[in-house]
Amino acid sequence: QVQLVESGGGLVQPGGSLRLSCAASGSIFRINAVGWYRQAPGKQRELVASITIGSSTNYADSVKGRFTISRDSAKNTLYLQMNSLKSEDTAVYYCKLQASTAPWVPLNDYWGQGTQVTVSS
């Protein structure tokens, strides 16, 4: 019913930039918040950045000043601009949508399949 598709991942050199996109489709009634998460090999999945319906943003300390989360509601798309990339940023990046699919239905979390980001020379 709700689909999230990430794109924009790939191989980039340290210090480079990359922009991830997450396109949402399906039956979405209300969106409360959206965010980007990442999971590196052998590590726990962590929150990278999030933005609420009120445009409040939150970033992990490790990416503050380098990453920027944004959204285009008209296009149902979420973005993550990543600058000054480091090897530590290598991970699979996932977008998450917190939304309701119908009136009076509780909010639920929806996840994309992820996109690989590799920072290496």
mmCIF file of all heavy atoms in Angstrom, residues 57-87:
data_model
loop_
_atom_site.group_PDB
_atom_site.id
_atom_site.type_symbol
_atom_site.label_atom_id
_atom_site.label_comp_id
_atom_site.label_asym_id
_atom_site.label_seq_id
_atom_site.Cartn_x
_atom_site.Cartn_y
_atom_site.Cartn_z
ATOM 1 N N THR A 57 13.871 19.834 12.560
ATOM 2 C CA THR A 57 14.861 18.868 12.106
ATOM 3 C C THR A 57 15.730 18.378 13.247
ATOM 4 O O THR A 57 15.910 19.060 14.253
ATOM 5 C CB THR A 57 15.762 19.457 11.009
ATOM 6 O OG1 THR A 57 16.399 20.642 11.512
ATOM 7 C CG2 THR A 57 14.947 19.823 9.785
ATOM 8 N N ASN A 58 16.276 17.197 13.058
ATOM 9 C CA ASN A 58 17.156 16.602 14.045
ATOM 10 C C ASN A 58 18.245 15.842 13.302
ATOM 11 O O ASN A 58 17.955 15.102 12.360
ATOM 12 C CB ASN A 58 16.373 15.665 14.961
ATOM 13 C CG ASN A 58 17.232 15.075 16.058
ATOM 14 O OD1 ASN A 58 18.026 15.786 16.674
ATOM 15 N ND2 ASN A 58 17.067 13.782 16.321
ATOM 16 N N TYR A 59 19.492 16.028 13.745
ATOM 17 C CA TYR A 59 20.619 15.380 13.102
ATOM 18 C C TYR A 59 21.470 14.642 14.114
ATOM 19 O O TYR A 59 21.613 15.067 15.258
ATOM 20 C CB TYR A 59 21.516 16.393 12.392
ATOM 21 C CG TYR A 59 20.872 17.112 11.236
ATOM 22 C CD1 TYR A 59 20.221 18.323 11.423
ATOM 23 C CD2 TYR A 59 20.936 16.579 9.948
ATOM 24 C CE1 TYR A 59 19.634 18.989 10.361
ATOM 25 C CE2 TYR A 59 20.352 17.244 8.880
ATOM 26 C CZ TYR A 59 19.706 18.446 9.088
ATOM 27 O OH TYR A 59 19.126 19.114 8.035
ATOM 28 N N ALA A 60 22.049 13.555 13.673
ATOM 29 C CA ALA A 60 23.026 12.869 14.492
ATOM 30 C C ALA A 60 24.254 13.771 14.610
ATOM 31 O O ALA A 60 24.599 14.488 13.672
ATOM 32 C CB ALA A 60 23.417 11.540 13.861
ATOM 33 N N ASP A 61 24.904 13.725 15.756
ATOM 34 C CA ASP A 61 26.072 14.573 15.971
ATOM 35 C C ASP A 61 27.158 14.341 14.922
ATOM 36 O O ASP A 61 27.868 15.270 14.541
ATOM 37 C CB ASP A 61 26.653 14.326 17.361
ATOM 38 C CG ASP A 61 25.767 14.862 18.467
ATOM 39 O OD1 ASP A 61 24.928 15.746 18.194
ATOM 40 O OD2 ASP A 61 25.919 14.406 19.619
ATOM 41 N N SER A 62 27.267 13.131 14.452
ATOM 42 C CA SER A 62 28.310 12.782 13.508
ATOM 43 C C SER A 62 28.131 13.403 12.125
ATOM 44 O O SER A 62 29.079 13.442 11.341
ATOM 45 C CB SER A 62 28.411 11.262 13.366
ATOM 46 O OG SER A 62 27.192 10.718 12.904
ATOM 47 N N VAL A 63 26.933 13.896 11.831
ATOM 48 C CA VAL A 63 26.682 14.451 10.501
ATOM 49 C C VAL A 63 26.305 15.926 10.518
ATOM 50 O O VAL A 63 26.138 16.527 9.454
ATOM 51 C CB VAL A 63 25.580 13.667 9.755
ATOM 52 C CG1 VAL A 63 25.912 12.183 9.726
ATOM 53 C CG2 VAL A 63 24.216 13.899 10.394
ATOM 54 N N LYS A 64 26.189 16.507 11.682
ATOM 55 C CA LYS A 64 25.828 17.916 11.783
ATOM 56 C C LYS A 64 26.842 18.787 11.051
ATOM 57 O O LYS A 64 28.043 18.619 11.194
ATOM 58 C CB LYS A 64 25.743 18.343 13.249
ATOM 59 C CG LYS A 64 24.520 17.821 13.973
ATOM 60 C CD LYS A 64 24.462 18.331 15.408
ATOM 61 C CE LYS A 64 23.214 17.845 16.116
ATOM 62 N NZ LYS A 64 23.159 18.296 17.530
ATOM 63 N N GLY A 65 26.310 19.707 10.272
ATOM 64 C CA GLY A 65 27.169 20.594 9.509
ATOM 65 C C GLY A 65 27.567 20.044 8.161
ATOM 66 O O GLY A 65 28.102 20.774 7.321
ATOM 67 N N ARG A 66 27.309 18.756 7.933
ATOM 68 C CA ARG A 66 27.682 18.125 6.674
ATOM 69 C C ARG A 66 26.469 17.640 5.880
ATOM 70 O O ARG A 66 26.473 17.687 4.650
ATOM 71 C CB ARG A 66 28.616 16.940 6.920
ATOM 72 C CG ARG A 66 29.928 17.314 7.598
ATOM 73 C CD ARG A 66 30.901 16.137 7.624
ATOM 74 N NE ARG A 66 30.364 15.005 8.382
ATOM 75 C CZ ARG A 66 30.146 13.796 7.870
ATOM 76 N NH1 ARG A 66 30.425 13.556 6.592
ATOM 77 N NH2 ARG A 66 29.681 12.826 8.636
ATOM 78 N N PHE A 67 25.459 17.163 6.586
ATOM 79 C CA PHE A 67 24.258 16.637 5.938
ATOM 80 C C PHE A 67 23.088 17.592 6.119
ATOM 81 O O PHE A 67 22.983 18.283 7.138
ATOM 82 C CB PHE A 67 23.865 15.285 6.540
ATOM 83 C CG PHE A 67 24.810 14.156 6.222
ATOM 84 C CD1 PHE A 67 26.042 14.375 5.637
ATOM 85 C CD2 PHE A 67 24.437 12.849 6.523
ATOM 86 C CE1 PHE A 67 26.906 13.325 5.354
ATOM 87 C CE2 PHE A 67 25.287 11.796 6.245
ATOM 88 C CZ PHE A 67 26.526 12.027 5.663
ATOM 89 N N THR A 68 22.200 17.597 5.142
ATOM 90 C CA THR A 68 20.999 18.409 5.211
ATOM 91 C C THR A 68 19.804 17.605 4.731
ATOM 92 O O THR A 68 19.822 17.059 3.630
ATOM 93 C CB THR A 68 21.125 19.681 4.356
ATOM 94 O OG1 THR A 68 22.254 20.451 4.781
ATOM 95 C CG2 THR A 68 19.863 20.534 4.503
ATOM 96 N N ILE A 69 18.778 17.544 5.554
ATOM 97 C CA ILE A 69 17.559 16.849 5.177
ATOM 98 C C ILE A 69 16.541 17.862 4.676
ATOM 99 O O ILE A 69 16.420 18.958 5.218
ATOM 100 C CB ILE A 69 16.982 16.041 6.363
ATOM 101 C CG1 ILE A 69 15.802 15.175 5.899
ATOM 102 C CG2 ILE A 69 16.572 16.951 7.514
ATOM 103 C CD1 ILE A 69 15.323 14.191 6.953
ATOM 104 N N SER A 70 15.821 17.509 3.639
ATOM 105 C CA SER A 70 14.808 18.388 3.083
ATOM 106 C C SER A 70 13.719 17.551 2.427
ATOM 107 O O SER A 70 13.876 16.347 2.244
ATOM 108 C CB SER A 70 15.417 19.361 2.072
ATOM 109 O OG SER A 70 15.979 18.672 0.970
ATOM 110 N N ARG A 71 12.647 18.198 2.078
ATOM 111 C CA ARG A 71 11.544 17.488 1.450
ATOM 112 C C ARG A 71 10.840 18.362 0.433
ATOM 113 O O ARG A 71 10.838 19.589 0.525
ATOM 114 C CB ARG A 71 10.545 17.012 2.506
ATOM 115 C CG ARG A 71 9.882 18.150 3.277
ATOM 116 C CD ARG A 71 9.061 17.648 4.432
ATOM 117 N NE ARG A 71 8.475 18.742 5.196
ATOM 118 C CZ ARG A 71 7.911 18.605 6.377
ATOM 119 N NH1 ARG A 71 7.859 17.409 6.956
ATOM 120 N NH2 ARG A 71 7.403 19.658 7.000
ATOM 121 N N ASP A 72 10.232 17.715 -0.530
ATOM 122 C CA ASP A 72 9.422 18.384 -1.534
ATOM 123 C C ASP A 72 8.063 17.707 -1.477
ATOM 124 O O ASP A 72 7.859 16.647 -2.079
ATOM 125 C CB ASP A 72 10.044 18.254 -2.920
ATOM 126 C CG ASP A 72 9.321 19.088 -3.963
ATOM 127 O OD1 ASP A 72 8.120 19.371 -3.783
ATOM 128 O OD2 ASP A 72 9.951 19.463 -4.967
ATOM 129 N N SER A 73 7.150 18.309 -0.760
ATOM 130 C CA SER A 73 5.838 17.714 -0.558
ATOM 131 C C SER A 73 5.073 17.507 -1.865
ATOM 132 O O SER A 73 4.356 16.524 -2.028
ATOM 133 C CB SER A 73 5.010 18.584 0.394
ATOM 134 O OG SER A 73 5.619 18.662 1.666
ATOM 135 N N ALA A 74 5.223 18.444 -2.786
ATOM 136 C CA ALA A 74 4.532 18.349 -4.064
ATOM 137 C C ALA A 74 4.964 17.120 -4.848
ATOM 138 O O ALA A 74 4.191 16.550 -5.616
ATOM 139 C CB ALA A 74 4.755 19.607 -4.889
ATOM 140 N N LYS A 75 6.202 16.714 -4.664
ATOM 141 C CA LYS A 75 6.738 15.563 -5.376
ATOM 142 C C LYS A 75 6.786 14.305 -4.513
ATOM 143 O O LYS A 75 7.258 13.264 -4.964
ATOM 144 C CB LYS A 75 8.146 15.869 -5.894
ATOM 145 C CG LYS A 75 8.194 16.996 -6.911
ATOM 146 C CD LYS A 75 9.614 17.236 -7.395
ATOM 147 C CE LYS A 75 9.673 18.346 -8.426
ATOM 148 N NZ LYS A 75 11.059 18.597 -8.892
ATOM 149 N N ASN A 76 6.311 14.424 -3.274
ATOM 150 C CA ASN A 76 6.328 13.297 -2.339
ATOM 151 C C ASN A 76 7.723 12.694 -2.215
ATOM 152 O O ASN A 76 7.891 11.475 -2.199
ATOM 153 C CB ASN A 76 5.336 12.217 -2.784
ATOM 154 C CG ASN A 76 3.907 12.697 -2.758
ATOM 155 O OD1 ASN A 76 3.482 13.380 -1.825
ATOM 156 N ND2 ASN A 76 3.145 12.339 -3.782
ATOM 157 N N THR A 77 8.695 13.565 -2.127
ATOM 158 C CA THR A 77 10.079 13.127 -2.117
ATOM 159 C C THR A 77 10.863 13.726 -0.959
ATOM 160 O O THR A 77 10.729 14.909 -0.649
ATOM 161 C CB THR A 77 10.771 13.483 -3.438
ATOM 162 O OG1 THR A 77 10.046 12.899 -4.528
ATOM 163 C CG2 THR A 77 12.195 12.948 -3.460
ATOM 164 N N LEU A 78 11.674 12.898 -0.354
ATOM 165 C CA LEU A 78 12.555 13.294 0.730
ATOM 166 C C LEU A 78 13.988 13.242 0.221
ATOM 167 O O LEU A 78 14.348 12.350 -0.544
ATOM 168 C CB LEU A 78 12.387 12.341 1.913
ATOM 169 C CG LEU A 78 13.286 12.556 3.130
ATOM 170 C CD1 LEU A 78 12.864 13.822 3.876
ATOM 171 C CD2 LEU A 78 13.224 11.346 4.048
ATOM 172 N N TYR A 79 14.804 14.188 0.663
ATOM 173 C CA TYR A 79 16.186 14.250 0.217
ATOM 174 C C TYR A 79 17.159 14.268 1.388
ATOM 175 O O TYR A 79 16.826 14.701 2.489
ATOM 176 C CB TYR A 79 16.436 15.506 -0.621
ATOM 177 C CG TYR A 79 15.565 15.630 -1.838
ATOM 178 C CD1 TYR A 79 14.417 16.420 -1.810
ATOM 179 C CD2 TYR A 79 15.885 14.970 -3.022
ATOM 180 C CE1 TYR A 79 13.615 16.542 -2.928
ATOM 181 C CE2 TYR A 79 15.083 15.095 -4.146
ATOM 182 C CZ TYR A 79 13.950 15.879 -4.093
ATOM 183 O OH TYR A 79 13.147 16.004 -5.207
ATOM 184 N N LEU A 80 18.349 13.814 1.118
ATOM 185 C CA LEU A 80 19.435 13.935 2.072
ATOM 186 C C LEU A 80 20.671 14.363 1.295
ATOM 187 O O LEU A 80 21.230 13.579 0.529
ATOM 188 C CB LEU A 80 19.712 12.614 2.802
ATOM 189 C CG LEU A 80 20.811 12.682 3.868
ATOM 190 C CD1 LEU A 80 20.357 13.567 5.034
ATOM 191 C CD2 LEU A 80 21.168 11.293 4.384
ATOM 192 N N GLN A 81 21.059 15.608 1.483
ATOM 193 C CA GLN A 81 22.262 16.121 0.849
ATOM 194 C C GLN A 81 23.438 15.824 1.759
ATOM 195 O O GLN A 81 23.460 16.253 2.913
ATOM 196 C CB GLN A 81 22.148 17.630 0.614
ATOM 197 C CG GLN A 81 23.379 18.260 -0.017
ATOM 198 C CD GLN A 81 23.633 17.768 -1.421
ATOM 199 O OE1 GLN A 81 22.718 17.718 -2.236
ATOM 200 N NE2 GLN A 81 24.876 17.394 -1.707
ATOM 201 N N MET A 82 24.411 15.108 1.251
ATOM 202 C CA MET A 82 25.564 14.706 2.033
ATOM 203 C C MET A 82 26.821 15.333 1.447
ATOM 204 O O MET A 82 27.173 15.072 0.298
ATOM 205 C CB MET A 82 25.691 13.183 2.067
ATOM 206 C CG MET A 82 24.443 12.472 2.569
ATOM 207 S SD MET A 82 24.663 10.677 2.719
ATOM 208 C CE MET A 82 24.845 10.240 0.985
ATOM 209 N N ASN A 83 27.476 16.151 2.240
ATOM 210 C CA ASN A 83 28.703 16.810 1.827
ATOM 211 C C ASN A 83 29.857 16.387 2.722
ATOM 212 O O ASN A 83 29.656 15.871 3.816
ATOM 213 C CB ASN A 83 28.538 18.335 1.889
ATOM 214 C CG ASN A 83 27.464 18.858 0.973
ATOM 215 O OD1 ASN A 83 27.269 18.348 -0.133
ATOM 216 N ND2 ASN A 83 26.770 19.904 1.403
ATOM 217 N N SER A 84 31.056 16.630 2.242
ATOM 218 C CA SER A 84 32.260 16.294 3.001
ATOM 219 C C SER A 84 32.207 14.872 3.530
ATOM 220 O O SER A 84 32.469 14.613 4.705
ATOM 221 C CB SER A 84 32.444 17.286 4.158
ATOM 222 O OG SER A 84 32.538 18.612 3.680
ATOM 223 N N LEU A 85 31.884 13.962 2.662
ATOM 224 C CA LEU A 85 31.708 12.574 3.064
ATOM 225 C C LEU A 85 33.001 11.950 3.574
ATOM 226 O O LEU A 85 34.094 12.228 3.071
ATOM 227 C CB LEU A 85 31.156 11.755 1.904
ATOM 228 C CG LEU A 85 29.665 11.981 1.631
ATOM 229 C CD1 LEU A 85 29.290 11.484 0.246
ATOM 230 C CD2 LEU A 85 28.830 11.271 2.691
ATOM 231 N N LYS A 86 32.842 11.106 4.567
ATOM 232 C CA LYS A 86 33.947 10.405 5.189
ATOM 233 C C LYS A 86 33.748 8.903 5.040
ATOM 234 O O LYS A 86 32.638 8.441 4.777
ATOM 235 C CB LYS A 86 34.033 10.755 6.680
ATOM 236 C CG LYS A 86 34.106 12.237 6.991
ATOM 237 C CD LYS A 86 34.045 12.471 8.495
ATOM 238 C CE LYS A 86 34.095 13.952 8.830
ATOM 239 N NZ LYS A 86 34.002 14.180 10.297
ATOM 240 N N SER A 87 34.811 8.163 5.236
ATOM 241 C CA SER A 87 34.709 6.718 5.151
ATOM 242 C C SER A 87 33.726 6.168 6.181
ATOM 243 O O SER A 87 33.069 5.149 5.934
ATOM 244 C CB SER A 87 36.079 6.066 5.341
ATOM 245 O OG SER A 87 36.633 6.384 6.608
#
